[in-house]
Amino acid sequence: MSEKTKANGPTKRQFGVTGHRAGLLALAAFLMLVTAVLLDFGPLRMAMFFASGLLGVGSFSALIASWRLKSAQLRAVTMVQYLFEREADVCFVSSDDGHILYANDAASDAGMGDKESLTDVLADQLLDAEGKVRDMIATCQLEGRCDEEVSLRDNMMRLSVKRVETGVLVWEIQKSTPVSEAHHGSATPRLPMLTVGRSGAVLFMNPAARHLLGERKKTLSDIFGPNVTDLQSATTVYTSDGEQQCLVAEFDATAGRREIYLLPTETPVMRDGAVQFDELPVALLKVSPKGDVLLANRAARQLIQMDIASQTVMGDLMEGLGRSIVDWLMEAAQGKTVNQSEFLRLKREDKEVIVQVSLNRVLEGGEVSLIAVLSDATELKSLEAQFVQSQKMQAIGQLAGGVAHDFNNLLTAISGHCDLLLLRHDQGDADYADLIQINQNANRAAALVGQLLAFSRKQNLRPEVLDLRNTLADLTHLLNRLVGERVTLTLNNDPVLPAIRADKRQLEQVLMNLVVNARDAMPDGGEIRVTTEGVELAEPLERDRVVVPVGNYVSVTVADQGIGIAQDKLQKVFEPFFTTKKTGEGTGLGLSTAYGIVKQTGGYIFVGSTPGVGTTFTLMFPAHGTGAEQVVAPEAGARPDLPQVEHSGVVLLVEDEAPVRSFATRALKMRGFTVLEAASGEEALDVLDADHPKIDVFVSDVIMPGMDGPSWVRQAREEYPNVPVIFVSGYAEDSFSDDQARIENSSFLPKPFSLSDLTEAVQARITSG
């Protein structure tokens, strides 16, 4: 429909000529009737008279009805034309059968102005457009109006029809909220968006746009002003509350339409395009080669959270290069370190924030300046620190295990040869006291090495099913003596506590370490609370960079009221030799030992502390069954009670450490055994192949250069299938327990071992083998 046609009102296509023809016929019939009366016609003529009269009356009634319908349609069209001519929504006036009598500007802009019926309008949108129009007209005839909301592919279309006059219907069609937006609800923020037609009429505004503008806008001129022709340069929109700064983005849509997105900004337009710089979503600083901060956009100000004045320099905001920031900036200005990022720490007082800074060199009017791109790398550095901490603990554990293994070999030789010397000296000898000192210090060194093995999780554990309530009850009297008189020890047990599986002796050592540390943290006295509790995790627990999986656990907490631990030292307390105590007051191995024991048991240990308030250590052990299992004492620790008599038998001793091999050989020979020596697994196989001796027991080190202990024993078992084996090692039994399990009739003797330990173990294997 053209603008001229609309301006002049409805067309003949809209209303037709049927009413005019009926009126002429009715007038002709009436004149014929009057003529018949005046001429005094007879019966036949009178019949014609009545027929003509009835025809005239009927035609006249049709004329009146037609005039009324035309009048109603004219009134409806005039009203709709007045109300909806410039409305953003598409509007039509139709007859009762859906034939379009009028279409507004929005319908023409949308390409619907030349449609003949509502069915034609909706045919491109709905599969059964004819049925939808028919049903809505029927509902409108009964109820006066009908509203429907139809889901399209990308939009929700709202159809509304109402009866304004008899035989006159007014339709409104609105493309409303996109389906995805409607499903997300009002809680999801949306970018203000509007759709405009070819003529600039606003066809659709989403809720965010209506909220921004404060009212429904009909044209682009209502939004951007009459003088704006290029929306790419538009920076201001007119709202119900006044002007608002906005960034504008325009995209072409279908059927000549355009989609326009508005990004509101809070900073007023400034010179030299400062608004564009300020609104970029990346934190940016413009600095001089001397370090003066020339500009800082909003993202940078939000990240830095410090006052930036005209005299602010970059060194006032961040630190951490280890050298002058000005030198770094000057090198970047000279083009030496461009695009080389650095990690710096902001000088914020509220929290630690690490930023990754990249410098870009720009030239403006012959002057060199730098654009610093800042990104928050706090989480990245935290993950990196977590990885480094994990790698460090693993490396320290490997180092501790290796050192412990070598020390155990040395201690075996020292304590073994000391035992040999003690056999030749009695208490009256002048050298006896010195030998006892050597033996005692060797045992102390062995205990220290055991702590290193505990941290590296390579110690020997004797796990058993324990009820922690009984374990703590047995330990309480010892703990009370340890804490002294000024410290109160309080024990709270869960009445229904599941059992756990752990090494009782090692667990007692952990608890003693924690209680002693709590005592030392309270020089003026206080209370230590030890609490046990059953814990059921329905979802994984994330704490201290560790994830505890779902399951049932037994929790033990040791809380004090001491001086606390500083946050920067909190994650280091489990490292070997790290201590907050003064020199001579602690070795720094107590907590590292506890850490290793708990981890090797399959549990978790956490620490939380507030300086001046206290520290809490939390242990979590997997629950073992229902807690009703019978606690059985371990059998592995028991030794045969053998009399000190001379023994007999042939032993093949395989040990790569010469001092250990020398001591073991002499010890076994002194007890009456015949000993064949070998320094490696390959040499042991050569001894067996050369002479095919009768062997009663193999004694072999586990870790050796070349062929290890389990490997050569497997080959030897082909010819000596029934010979028992004793494996010795400075590592824990668990480190090769799988290999040992595959070798039948074998046992384990940890280093360092004494003369009696070795001889009794050999005699036990010969007797049982």
Side-chain angles (χ1 to χ4, degrees), residues 301-312:
R301 296 194 299 272
Q302 291 176 347
L303 176 62
I304 295 173
Q305 293 284 307
M306 287 182 284
D307 294 333
I308 302 176
S310 58
Q311 302 298 322
T312 302

Side-chain angles (χ1 to χ4, degrees), residues 392-455:
K392 180 172 65 175
M393 296 293 276
Q394 181 179 357
I396 293 175
Q398 292 176 346
L399 175 62
V403 170
H405 173 265
D406 292 339
F407 265 88
N408 276 331
N409 281 326
L410 295 175
L411 292 172
T412 302
I414 293 172
S415 61
H417 285 92
C418 185
D419 288 342
L420 293 175
L421 288 173
L422 285 172
L423 292 177
R424 300 199 299 268
H425 295 77
D426 56 23
Q427 295 185 6
D429 196 319
D431 296 330
Y432 185 81
D434 296 334
L435 293 174
I436 291 296
Q437 283 292 323
I438 294 173
N439 187 269
Q440 290 178 349
N441 284 280
N443 291 334
R444 288 182 59 190
L448 188 64
V449 172
Q451 289 181 303
L452 287 175
L453 282 174
F455 172 76

Side-chain angles (χ1 to χ4, degrees), residues 10 12 18-19 60 110 113 197-198 207 248 287 290 340 371 396 448 483 578 621 679 692 706:
K12 289 183 179 182
T18 305
F60 187 77
R198 295 187 185 91
V248 182
V287 297
K290 296 181 180 180
Q340 179 179 345
I371 300 296
I396 293 175
L448 188 64
V483 299
F578 177 84
F621 299 99
H692 299 285

Side-chain angles (χ1 to χ4, degrees), residues 310-369:
S310 58
Q311 302 298 322
T312 302
V313 297
M314 199 168 176
D316 297 335
L317 306 177
M318 55 195 72
E319 62 183 0
L321 275 177
R323 61 190 179 100
S324 173
I325 290 182
V326 175
D327 294 343
W328 178 48
L329 296 177
M330 290 298 294
E331 290 179 3
Q334 296 168 6
K336 297 180 180 179
T337 59
V338 175
N339 296 326
Q340 179 179 345
S341 61
E342 296 283 355
F343 289 94
L344 306 176
R345 186 181 68 86
L346 294 180
K347 294 182 178 181
R348 290 176 54 169
E349 297 181 356
D350 56 339
K351 63 178 181 179
E352 183 179 56
V353 177
I354 306 298
V355 292
Q356 184 176 7
V357 184
S358 299
L359 297 178
N360 297 274
R361 183 173 178 267
V362 294
L363 189 65
E364 297 177 322
E367 296 290 333
V368 176
S369 58

Side-chain angles (χ1 to χ4, degrees), residues 571-630:
Q571 295 302 324
K572 299 180 181 179
V573 296
F574 297 119
E575 296 179 10
F577 308 111
F578 177 84
T579 179
T580 58
K581 299 177 182 179
K582 297 179 181 178
T583 303
E585 294 183 358
T587 62
L589 285 174
L591 288 178
S592 63
T593 302
Y595 174 87
I597 293 172
V598 172
K599 288 294 184 180
Q600 194 171 355
T601 306
Y604 302 86
I605 182 168
F606 304 109
V607 58
S609 184
T610 303
V613 177
T615 303
T616 300
F617 283 90
T618 302
L619 312 177
M620 294 185 67
F621 299 99
H624 182 77
T626 61
E629 293 85 351
Q630 182 180 1

Side-chain angles (χ1 to χ4, degrees), residues 157 204 211 213 512:
M157 183 170 68
F204 168 74
H211 177 74
L213 300 175
M512 288 174 59

Side-chain angles (χ1 to χ4, degrees), residues 113-128:
D114 57 348
K115 302 294 183 182
E116 293 291 334
S117 66
L118 265 300
T119 300
D120 296 334
V121 170
L122 300 177
D124 295 336
Q125 308 289 336
L126 305 176
L127 293 177
D128 187 15

